[in-house]
């Protein structure tokens, strides 16, 4: 072990707290003992040459009680140590899996055997030895040398996977990942989904870009933003609620196929399908419309499913789900009319629609317009029943301030939302590229904001100036990445697919 050049102060509040508990005090004392002997409990310079999974892949057919003569170097966290007579068996876990360590006096000598036995569960170690199998056929590394790389001062939870307090799992995600294979599986699946989403757009000629997270005007969606202050510029700024408006400006600038995969922030509530900080993929394609984007989604969703779960059919919450195209396409007003038992059209008087909605048992706000009422009925009575992938198309104009007017139906826009298993996974438009119409709609949104609607869209003059330069007909898309990962990993809540979901501060730390 390496010599420690200096000894940290053990009188800090953290050290005092550790010394106050028998289990952590014992580990802290071991650190002091190592340093007193001139050994560093946190040395550098040790490397592995093979992973645990690499050993299992290469030697999966090795017969019981076999020696390979091959020396390897492994490194990871010591998850368990058990004694059997004069033998010690350790379980080493790295990023790829676990491998058994076989420890005896022939490999380490008596002093080395005693030193290994002094290790604790949770310690990070490096080990070198011969690849072998035990008499029972367990693939192992017969250690001839080892080193402590990082002393774990706090013991690992013994039965973490059995805890019913899920919030504690989310607060201590590092421990959850260490002992919960399902948490690691979800994290790996998320990485695969994001990678495949990116690849699907790249192979179609889309360029990945980055746009500002801090914005003077938070636009591109109807949502309440987080506010902050830029001291050097002396201005109020916002965390972005969407990437849409900057991406459209890039289309104006001649970047005809662009996408961004990143975080957006909305100062709203938290529930099973909402988190104030979440990941989206937004993409824009010149000379496309919302029909082209539907086809794009029918290609991309099955491809991502193939990468993550090995196919486009899967089980979600106990029911079979088929993500293979074609997906059903149905107008929003048709679905709402079926739920209300009467035809609903853009020409329907708002007062009449309000009465019909009230008779359906829903609370009615007298200030809500046609589109908001339609949306309320859809969210309450329709969306939960949409199991198979469904494009809900042609939304009311007054709830879609950035979408192009429908080419054949007054009062509607060319927009779709993709619903699967009762939740929304994508929102897409034929984009509004008429700057005069866009200004008119922004002004209507500004009036709503003045009347108290904090989610209404502000007027973005920079975006309007860009639109006045001329944006070609464009199809745009936003995908909820977190929800897609929920679907593909069979999870009920976003907290399971976010490594660090937002939680209320603990009252007693």
């Amino acid at each position: 072990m390496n010599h420690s050049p200096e000894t940290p102060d053990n009188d800090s509040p953290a050290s005092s707290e550790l010394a106050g508990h028998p289990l952590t005090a014992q580990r802290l004392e071991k650190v002091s003992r190592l340093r007193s002997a001139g050994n560093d409990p946190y040395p550098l310079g040790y490397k592995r040459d093979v992973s645990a999974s690499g050993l299992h892949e290469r030697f999966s057919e090795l017969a019981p009680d076999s020696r390979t003569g091959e020396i390897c170097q492994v490194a990871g966290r010591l998850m368990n140590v058990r004694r059997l007579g004069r033998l010690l068996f350790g379980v080493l876990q790295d990023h790829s899996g676990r491998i058994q360590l076989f420890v005896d006096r022939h490999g380490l000598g008596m002093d080395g055997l005693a030193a290994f036995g002094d290790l604790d569960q949770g310690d990070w170690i490096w080990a070198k030895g011969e690849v072998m199998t035990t008499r029972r056929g367990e693939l192992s590394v017969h250690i001839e040398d080892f080193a402590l790389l990082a002393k774990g001062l706090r013991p690992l939870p013994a039965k973490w996977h059995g805890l019913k307090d899920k919030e504690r799992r989310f607060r201590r995600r590092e421990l959850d990942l260490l002992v919960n294979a399902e948490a690691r599986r979800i994290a790996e699946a998320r990485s695969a989904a994001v990678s495949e989403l990116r690849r699907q757009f790249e192979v179609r000629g889309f360029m990945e870009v980055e746009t500002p997270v801090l914005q003077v005007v938070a636009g591109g969606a109807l949502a309440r933003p987080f506010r902050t202050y830029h001291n050097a510029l002396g201005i109020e700024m916002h965390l972005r609620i969407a990437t849409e408006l900057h991406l459209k400006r890039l289309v104006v600038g001649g970047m005809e196929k662009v996408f961004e995969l990143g975080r957006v922030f909305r100062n709203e509530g938290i529930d099973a399908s909402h988190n104030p900080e979440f990941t989206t993929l937004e993409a824009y394609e010149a000379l496309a419309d919302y029909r082209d984007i539907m086809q794009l989604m029918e290609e991309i969703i099955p491809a991502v499913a193939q990468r993550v779960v090995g196919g486009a059919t899967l089980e979600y919450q106990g029911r079979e789900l088929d993500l293979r195209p074609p997906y059903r396409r149905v107008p929003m007003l048709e679905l709402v009319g079926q739920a209300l038992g009467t035809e609903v059209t853009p020409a329907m008087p708002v007062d009449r629609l309000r009465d019909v909605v009230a008779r359906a048992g829903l609370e009615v706000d007298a200030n809500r317009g046609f589109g908001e009422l339609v949306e309320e009925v859809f969210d309450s009575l329709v969306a939960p029943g949409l199991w198979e992938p469904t494009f809900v198309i042609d939304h009311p104009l007054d709830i879609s301030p950035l979408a192009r007017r429908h080419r054949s139906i007054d009062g509607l826009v060319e927009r779709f939302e993709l619903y699967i298993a009762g939740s929304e996974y994508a929102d897409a438009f034929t984009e509004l590229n008429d700057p005069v119409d866009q200004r008119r709609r922004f002004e209507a949104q500004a009036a709503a904001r003045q009347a108290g609607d904090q989610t209404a869209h502000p007027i973005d003059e920079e975006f309007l100036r860009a639109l006045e330069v001329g944006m070609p007909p464009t199809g745009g898309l936003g995908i909820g990445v977190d929800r897609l990962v929920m679907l593909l990993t069979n999870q009920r809540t976003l907290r399971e697919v976010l490594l660090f979901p937002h939680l209320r501060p603990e009252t007693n730390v």
Side-chain angles (χ1 to χ4, degrees), residues 37 47 133 153 182 216 236 306 356 450 496:
K47 305 292 184 183
T133 51
L153 298 182
E182 176 67 2
V216 176
E236 184 180 82
Q306 178 68 44
V356 174
Q450 190 70 27
E496 292 289 357

Side-chain angles (χ1 to χ4, degrees), residues 102-121:
F102 179 84
V103 189
D104 65 6
R105 62 185 177 83
H106 300 293
L108 287 179
M110 293 304 295
D111 290 343
L113 186 64
F116 191 93
D118 200 39
L119 295 172
D120 292 299
Q121 180 196 40

Side-chain angles (χ1 to χ4, degrees), residues 267-295:
N267 199 352
E268 298 169 349
I270 301 174
D271 60 28
S273 59
H274 295 85
N275 194 68
E277 176 182 358
F278 59 100
T279 301
T280 64
L281 187 151
E282 288 205 37
Y284 294 84
E285 180 178 359
L287 305 182
D289 63 17
Y290 75 144
R291 296 169 183 168
D292 299 312
I293 304 302
M294 288 185 221
Q295 180 178 338

Side-chain angles (χ1 to χ4, degrees), residues 68-123:
T68 65
E70 182 160 336
I71 303 299
C72 71
Q73 299 179 57
V74 293
R77 192 178 295 276
L78 191 61
M79 301 301 293
N80 183 35
V81 179
R82 72 183 191 278
R83 184 179 296 274
L84 185 62
R86 296 183 179 181
L87 303 178
L88 290 175
F89 296 90
V91 177
L92 186 78
Q93 178 174 296
D94 63 16
H95 66 284
S96 69
R98 294 183 173 189
I99 190 70
Q100 178 169 273
L101 304 179
F102 179 84
V103 189
D104 65 6
R105 62 185 177 83
H106 300 293
L108 287 179
M110 293 304 295
D111 290 343
L113 186 64
F116 191 93
D118 200 39
L119 295 172
D120 292 299
Q121 180 196 40
D123 288 350

